[in-house]
Amino acid sequence: MNTQFGFVRVTTAVPKVVVGDPAANTREILSMLNGLPDSDIIVFPELCITGYSCADLLYQELLLEHARAALVSLAQVVDSQEMAAVVGLPLQVAGKLYNCAALLARGRVMGIVPKTYLPSTSEFYEERWFTPSGLNQAERVEIRGQSIPFGVDLLFDMSSAVPALVMGIEICEDLWAVEPPSGQMALAGATLLVNP
């Protein structure tokens, strides 16, 4: 990150997604990460690891396991590039499925944020598969031997790279709520709000 002037270069990236194929999507995300060496934070779309329109495939444990594996491998690549990335994936925690965004930095998954407001109008029916963050009771989740902070109230201190940089993450529909999670994050000290 450009510490000389205190600027943060945030890039939004939209990979070509293959629905239900975390391996193909991981390759596409990796290709984009390698092609954006001047970015400090790269924000990928909601559910980019599996594809948003997986529908009932989200009930398959094999898909969920491959998404978790992809998350870990992406984190390792981000470490070698001195950047941070936000990626989306479905994640099962304590028997409930959440639509999540994960922050990857320093070779690790720094934290995972579940979506709070699930759309259920017109073509959107996320409530069929996902649980809103308000029903979450877990504070950490275990993925491949790493204990990762989990929750909607996470703030990520990035001040070692840029002074006073504290990042908050919410997901899509959360932004349009009457009281979006980002409002509480800003009040708690977030200086950069990210929304895949």
mmCIF file of all heavy atoms in Angstrom, residues 75-98:
data_model
loop_
_atom_site.group_PDB
_atom_site.id
_atom_site.type_symbol
_atom_site.label_atom_id
_atom_site.label_comp_id
_atom_site.label_asym_id
_atom_site.label_seq_id
_atom_site.Cartn_x
_atom_site.Cartn_y
_atom_site.Cartn_z
ATOM 1 N N ALA A 75 -6.104 -16.699 -0.266
ATOM 2 C CA ALA A 75 -5.411 -15.937 0.793
ATOM 3 C C ALA A 75 -3.900 -16.075 0.665
ATOM 4 O O ALA A 75 -3.162 -15.107 0.849
ATOM 5 C CB ALA A 75 -5.877 -16.410 2.173
ATOM 6 N N GLN A 76 -3.426 -17.254 0.327
ATOM 7 C CA GLN A 76 -1.987 -17.469 0.193
ATOM 8 C C GLN A 76 -1.398 -16.650 -0.958
ATOM 9 O O GLN A 76 -0.295 -16.120 -0.857
ATOM 10 C CB GLN A 76 -1.703 -18.957 0.005
ATOM 11 C CG GLN A 76 -2.021 -19.758 1.245
ATOM 12 C CD GLN A 76 -2.074 -21.256 1.003
ATOM 13 O OE1 GLN A 76 -2.094 -21.709 -0.135
ATOM 14 N NE2 GLN A 76 -2.097 -22.019 2.078
ATOM 15 N N VAL A 77 -2.149 -16.492 -2.039
ATOM 16 C CA VAL A 77 -1.677 -15.716 -3.174
ATOM 17 C C VAL A 77 -1.651 -14.231 -2.835
ATOM 18 O O VAL A 77 -0.722 -13.509 -3.199
ATOM 19 C CB VAL A 77 -2.559 -15.970 -4.416
ATOM 20 C CG1 VAL A 77 -2.247 -14.985 -5.523
ATOM 21 C CG2 VAL A 77 -2.361 -17.395 -4.894
ATOM 22 N N VAL A 78 -2.664 -13.760 -2.129
ATOM 23 C CA VAL A 78 -2.729 -12.351 -1.760
ATOM 24 C C VAL A 78 -1.514 -11.973 -0.915
ATOM 25 O O VAL A 78 -0.984 -10.870 -1.028
ATOM 26 C CB VAL A 78 -4.051 -12.044 -1.017
ATOM 27 C CG1 VAL A 78 -4.028 -10.662 -0.399
ATOM 28 C CG2 VAL A 78 -5.219 -12.154 -1.983
ATOM 29 N N ASP A 79 -1.013 -12.892 -0.106
ATOM 30 C CA ASP A 79 0.149 -12.623 0.746
ATOM 31 C C ASP A 79 1.367 -12.236 -0.076
ATOM 32 O O ASP A 79 2.088 -11.313 0.257
ATOM 33 C CB ASP A 79 0.473 -13.858 1.595
ATOM 34 C CG ASP A 79 1.659 -13.630 2.509
ATOM 35 O OD1 ASP A 79 1.720 -12.547 3.127
ATOM 36 O OD2 ASP A 79 2.524 -14.506 2.602
ATOM 37 N N SER A 80 1.593 -12.919 -1.166
ATOM 38 C CA SER A 80 2.791 -12.666 -1.961
ATOM 39 C C SER A 80 2.694 -11.368 -2.761
ATOM 40 O O SER A 80 3.667 -10.925 -3.329
ATOM 41 C CB SER A 80 3.037 -13.842 -2.913
ATOM 42 O OG SER A 80 1.998 -13.909 -3.868
ATOM 43 N N GLN A 81 1.512 -10.745 -2.786
ATOM 44 C CA GLN A 81 1.327 -9.570 -3.620
ATOM 45 C C GLN A 81 1.169 -8.273 -2.822
ATOM 46 O O GLN A 81 0.922 -7.229 -3.405
ATOM 47 C CB GLN A 81 0.122 -9.779 -4.514
ATOM 48 C CG GLN A 81 0.260 -11.053 -5.308
ATOM 49 C CD GLN A 81 -0.412 -10.960 -6.645
ATOM 50 O OE1 GLN A 81 -1.126 -10.041 -6.921
ATOM 51 N NE2 GLN A 81 -0.165 -11.936 -7.472
ATOM 52 N N GLU A 82 1.296 -8.330 -1.522
ATOM 53 C CA GLU A 82 1.206 -7.145 -0.675
ATOM 54 C C GLU A 82 -0.049 -6.329 -0.948
ATOM 55 O O GLU A 82 -0.013 -5.118 -1.104
ATOM 56 C CB GLU A 82 2.450 -6.276 -0.827
ATOM 57 C CG GLU A 82 3.703 -6.978 -0.356
ATOM 58 C CD GLU A 82 4.925 -6.086 -0.405
ATOM 59 O OE1 GLU A 82 4.760 -4.850 -0.432
ATOM 60 O OE2 GLU A 82 6.032 -6.630 -0.417
ATOM 61 N N MET A 83 -1.166 -7.015 -1.023
ATOM 62 C CA MET A 83 -2.452 -6.363 -1.224
ATOM 63 C C MET A 83 -3.473 -7.070 -0.349
ATOM 64 O O MET A 83 -3.166 -8.067 0.294
ATOM 65 C CB MET A 83 -2.879 -6.444 -2.693
ATOM 66 C CG MET A 83 -3.119 -7.859 -3.179
ATOM 67 S SD MET A 83 -3.758 -7.994 -4.866
ATOM 68 C CE MET A 83 -2.417 -7.413 -5.855
ATOM 69 N N ALA A 84 -4.663 -6.529 -0.327
ATOM 70 C CA ALA A 84 -5.775 -7.178 0.358
ATOM 71 C C ALA A 84 -6.871 -7.399 -0.679
ATOM 72 O O ALA A 84 -6.959 -6.674 -1.671
ATOM 73 C CB ALA A 84 -6.279 -6.304 1.499
ATOM 74 N N ALA A 85 -7.683 -8.406 -0.459
ATOM 75 C CA ALA A 85 -8.789 -8.687 -1.372
ATOM 76 C C ALA A 85 -10.024 -9.056 -0.568
ATOM 77 O O ALA A 85 -9.926 -9.670 0.500
ATOM 78 C CB ALA A 85 -8.413 -9.819 -2.335
ATOM 79 N N VAL A 86 -11.170 -8.684 -1.094
ATOM 80 C CA VAL A 86 -12.455 -9.068 -0.507
ATOM 81 C C VAL A 86 -13.137 -9.962 -1.527
ATOM 82 O O VAL A 86 -13.329 -9.562 -2.683
ATOM 83 C CB VAL A 86 -13.329 -7.839 -0.190
ATOM 84 C CG1 VAL A 86 -14.693 -8.273 0.334
ATOM 85 C CG2 VAL A 86 -12.627 -6.935 0.816
ATOM 86 N N VAL A 87 -13.492 -11.182 -1.113
ATOM 87 C CA VAL A 87 -14.151 -12.142 -2.001
ATOM 88 C C VAL A 87 -15.422 -12.653 -1.331
ATOM 89 O O VAL A 87 -15.544 -12.638 -0.109
ATOM 90 C CB VAL A 87 -13.228 -13.335 -2.360
ATOM 91 C CG1 VAL A 87 -12.014 -12.874 -3.140
ATOM 92 C CG2 VAL A 87 -12.807 -14.100 -1.115
ATOM 93 N N GLY A 88 -16.361 -13.123 -2.153
ATOM 94 C CA GLY A 88 -17.628 -13.604 -1.625
ATOM 95 C C GLY A 88 -17.783 -15.097 -1.770
ATOM 96 O O GLY A 88 -17.356 -15.688 -2.767
ATOM 97 N N LEU A 89 -18.409 -15.710 -0.751
ATOM 98 C CA LEU A 89 -18.643 -17.149 -0.777
ATOM 99 C C LEU A 89 -19.777 -17.533 0.162
ATOM 100 O O LEU A 89 -20.054 -16.816 1.128
ATOM 101 C CB LEU A 89 -17.385 -17.920 -0.377
ATOM 102 C CG LEU A 89 -17.029 -17.956 1.110
ATOM 103 C CD1 LEU A 89 -16.160 -19.163 1.405
ATOM 104 C CD2 LEU A 89 -16.316 -16.694 1.543
ATOM 105 N N PRO A 90 -20.413 -18.675 -0.092
ATOM 106 C CA PRO A 90 -21.368 -19.205 0.877
ATOM 107 C C PRO A 90 -20.576 -19.950 1.947
ATOM 108 O O PRO A 90 -19.577 -20.608 1.647
ATOM 109 C CB PRO A 90 -22.214 -20.165 0.039
ATOM 110 C CG PRO A 90 -21.289 -20.629 -1.040
ATOM 111 C CD PRO A 90 -20.352 -19.490 -1.300
ATOM 112 N N LEU A 91 -21.016 -19.838 3.191
ATOM 113 C CA LEU A 91 -20.289 -20.495 4.273
ATOM 114 C C LEU A 91 -21.269 -21.043 5.295
ATOM 115 O O LEU A 91 -22.148 -20.324 5.771
ATOM 116 C CB LEU A 91 -19.341 -19.501 4.942
ATOM 117 C CG LEU A 91 -18.385 -20.073 5.979
ATOM 118 C CD1 LEU A 91 -17.392 -21.039 5.335
ATOM 119 C CD2 LEU A 91 -17.641 -18.948 6.673
ATOM 120 N N GLN A 92 -21.091 -22.313 5.619
ATOM 121 C CA GLN A 92 -21.941 -22.944 6.632
ATOM 122 C C GLN A 92 -21.260 -22.827 7.990
ATOM 123 O O GLN A 92 -20.102 -23.201 8.155
ATOM 124 C CB GLN A 92 -22.180 -24.411 6.280
ATOM 125 C CG GLN A 92 -23.270 -25.047 7.108
ATOM 126 C CD GLN A 92 -23.651 -26.406 6.567
ATOM 127 O OE1 GLN A 92 -22.790 -27.174 6.135
ATOM 128 N NE2 GLN A 92 -24.928 -26.704 6.585
ATOM 129 N N VAL A 93 -21.994 -22.282 8.946
ATOM 130 C CA VAL A 93 -21.499 -22.093 10.303
ATOM 131 C C VAL A 93 -22.568 -22.574 11.265
ATOM 132 O O VAL A 93 -23.711 -22.103 11.224
ATOM 133 C CB VAL A 93 -21.168 -20.606 10.575
ATOM 134 C CG1 VAL A 93 -20.683 -20.408 12.000
ATOM 135 C CG2 VAL A 93 -20.151 -20.082 9.577
ATOM 136 N N ALA A 94 -22.204 -23.518 12.120
ATOM 137 C CA ALA A 94 -23.129 -24.063 13.127
ATOM 138 C C ALA A 94 -24.456 -24.492 12.499
ATOM 139 O O ALA A 94 -25.532 -24.213 13.029
ATOM 140 C CB ALA A 94 -23.352 -23.049 14.244
ATOM 141 N N GLY A 95 -24.364 -25.157 11.359
ATOM 142 C CA GLY A 95 -25.547 -25.710 10.718
ATOM 143 C C GLY A 95 -26.381 -24.719 9.923
ATOM 144 O O GLY A 95 -27.421 -25.087 9.388
ATOM 145 N N LYS A 96 -25.938 -23.466 9.828
ATOM 146 C CA LYS A 96 -26.674 -22.456 9.062
ATOM 147 C C LYS A 96 -25.788 -21.949 7.931
ATOM 148 O O LYS A 96 -24.581 -21.809 8.096
ATOM 149 C CB LYS A 96 -27.065 -21.291 9.969
ATOM 150 C CG LYS A 96 -28.027 -21.693 11.061
ATOM 151 C CD LYS A 96 -28.310 -20.517 11.978
ATOM 152 C CE LYS A 96 -29.216 -20.974 13.117
ATOM 153 N NZ LYS A 96 -29.310 -19.969 14.171
ATOM 154 N N LEU A 97 -26.411 -21.650 6.796
ATOM 155 C CA LEU A 97 -25.680 -21.179 5.631
ATOM 156 C C LEU A 97 -25.774 -19.656 5.546
ATOM 157 O O LEU A 97 -26.858 -19.084 5.669
ATOM 158 C CB LEU A 97 -26.250 -21.806 4.358
ATOM 159 C CG LEU A 97 -25.469 -21.583 3.071
ATOM 160 C CD1 LEU A 97 -24.064 -22.171 3.167
ATOM 161 C CD2 LEU A 97 -26.215 -22.178 1.885
ATOM 162 N N TYR A 98 -24.626 -19.015 5.349
ATOM 163 C CA TYR A 98 -24.552 -17.552 5.265
ATOM 164 C C TYR A 98 -23.946 -17.135 3.934
ATOM 165 O O TYR A 98 -23.069 -17.806 3.404
ATOM 166 C CB TYR A 98 -23.682 -16.994 6.398
ATOM 167 C CG TYR A 98 -24.245 -17.235 7.775
ATOM 168 C CD1 TYR A 98 -23.904 -18.375 8.497
ATOM 169 C CD2 TYR A 98 -25.126 -16.329 8.352
ATOM 170 C CE1 TYR A 98 -24.427 -18.602 9.760
ATOM 171 C CE2 TYR A 98 -25.655 -16.544 9.619
ATOM 172 C CZ TYR A 98 -25.295 -17.683 10.313
ATOM 173 O OH TYR A 98 -25.820 -17.907 11.572
#
